């Protein structure tokens, strides 16, 4: 094997370990949080995006390190059990990425760091302990919600206005995580049925008027395309909400009717991909249509990458 081939093999192994296609679902958390706070993205927002990406990838590396014994039985092709990535390297990467994420959050300001610290703690607690307990899905949902709040904190210094959007995103993540707990075994139609029901309710909630927001803090630049509070949902919100529901409806229904591992895994992948149109709908619902469209544009990239590297 040539040196170039070995290098390509290592890069692919790390791409699989870090679930690179899922990475496109990360920036939208922060951008939706900034939109919910009623502000345009600024330097703090970009730093929060970097922090979010680092903490997310830390969780991916730590997840496989914690699951290496289980994966040796259920997923022997994964990078750690197959020997393509050393466990020590994965753990080191998780620690370094966590430190980098917290460092970027600190540069975004004290409010951002105050959200990033519990976010990092939730990621590590989930991977090392909570995912094997009934609290696992709730912990993952909390992590996504905190990620959205990170965007609000980094941009405006406040998070209260972003709490409703964080709750919607967290609920979606809880549903997807619940389905993922049976993806290697299948045979559990109730989880995808509950997720399908949750998706329907979330899609309906997205088309309701966004709650009123307080005036931006002094020195914060409001979004140019921010509508007046409680403005009814428009066609952009409706379209993105429909796209969100359509992304998961069929895979969830298939997993309900035939709860096999392949169909359950397909449902989980669809749930992860649906995070992007959900984030876009949340941004549009807050009035930031430009941010919403930019976020939605990430979806094709994620689909393209998922054809090369598994998203789950």
């Amino acid at each position: 094997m040539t040196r170039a081939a070995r290098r390509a093999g290592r890069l692919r192994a790390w791409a699989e370990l870090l679930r690179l296609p899922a990475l496109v679902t990360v920036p939208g958390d922060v951008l939706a949080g900034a939109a919910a706070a009623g502000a345009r993205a600024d330097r703090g927002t970009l730093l929060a995006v970097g922090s979010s990406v680092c903490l997310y990838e830390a969780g991916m590396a730590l997840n496989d390190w914690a699951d290496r014994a289980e994966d040796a039985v259920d997923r022997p092709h994964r990078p750690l059990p197959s020997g393509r990535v050393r466990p020590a390297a994965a753990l080191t990467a998780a620690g370094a990425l966590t430190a980098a994420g917290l460092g970027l959050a600190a540069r975004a300001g004290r409010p951002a760091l105050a959200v990033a610290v519990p976010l990092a703690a939730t990621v590590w607690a989930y991977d090392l302990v909570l995912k094997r307990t009934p609290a696992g899905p709730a912990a993952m949902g909390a992590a996504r919600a905190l990620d959205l709040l990170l965007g609000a904190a980094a941009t405006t210094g406040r998070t209260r206005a972003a709490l409703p959007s964080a709750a919607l995103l967290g609920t979606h993540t809880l549903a997807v995580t619940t389905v993922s707990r049976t993806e290697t075994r299948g045979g559990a139609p109730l989880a995808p049925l509950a997720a399908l029901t949750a998706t329907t309710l979330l899609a309906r909630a997205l088309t309701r008027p966004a709650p009123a927001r307080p005036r931006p803090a002094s020195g914060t630049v409001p979004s140019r395309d921010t509508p007046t509070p409680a403005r009814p949902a428009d066609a952009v919100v409706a379209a993105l909400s429909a796209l969100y529901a359509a992304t998961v409806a069929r895979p969830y229904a298939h997993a309900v009717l035939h709860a096999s591992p392949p169909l359950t895994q397909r449902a989980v992948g669809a749930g992860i991909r649906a995070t992007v149109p959900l984030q876009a709908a949340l941004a549009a619902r807050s009035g930031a249509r430009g941010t919403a469209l930019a976020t939605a544009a990430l979806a094709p990239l994620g689909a393209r990458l998922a054809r090369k590297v598994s998203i789950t």
Side-chain angles (χ1 to χ4, degrees), residues 26-35 37 39-53 104-105 107-109 112 147-148 150-157 220-221 291:
V26 179
D29 290 347
V30 172
L31 296 176
R40 287 183 296 178
D42 58 13
R43 175 180 176 274
T45 314
L46 295 179
L47 287 169
V49 169
S51 173
S52 176
V53 166
L104 288 170
R107 292 192 62 187
D147 204 29
L148 187 145
L150 176 61
T155 308
T156 68
T220 299
V221 179
T291 297

Side-chain angles (χ1 to χ4, degrees), residues 39-206:
R40 287 183 296 178
D42 58 13
R43 175 180 176 274
T45 314
L46 295 179
L47 287 169
V49 169
S51 173
S52 176
V53 166
C54 287
L55 294 177
Y56 185 87
E57 293 292 36
M60 292 296 101
L62 185 63
N63 176 79
D64 277 25
W65 180 85
D67 284 352
R68 60 194 186 282
E70 178 183 335
D71 284 347
V73 176
D74 294 332
R75 303 182 186 91
H77 62 280
R78 294 291 301 151
L80 267 63
S82 66
R84 290 177 293 147
V85 175
R86 292 183 296 109
L91 184 60
T92 300
L97 286 165
T98 300
L102 293 176
L104 288 170
R107 292 192 62 187
R110 187 173 299 176
L113 183 61
V115 176
V117 168
L119 171 56
T122 302
V123 168
W124 280 72
Y126 172 82
D127 283 332
L128 297 181
V129 179
L130 296 178
K131 68 179 173 183
R132 295 179 178 84
T133 73
M140 184 63 80
R144 275 287 184 178
L146 285 168
D147 204 29
L148 187 145
L149 294 179
L150 176 61
T155 308
T156 68
R158 298 188 297 181
T159 59
R160 183 174 180 179
L163 289 174
S165 291
L168 294 175
L169 181 61
T171 300
H172 166 75
T173 306
L174 184 154
V176 176
T177 307
T178 300
V179 177
S180 74
R181 289 164 75 90
T182 63
E183 65 178 326
T184 60
R185 303 185 305 274
L190 288 181
L193 178 60
L196 181 60
T197 302
T199 299
T200 303
L201 295 175
L202 287 171
R204 291 185 60 185
L206 287 168

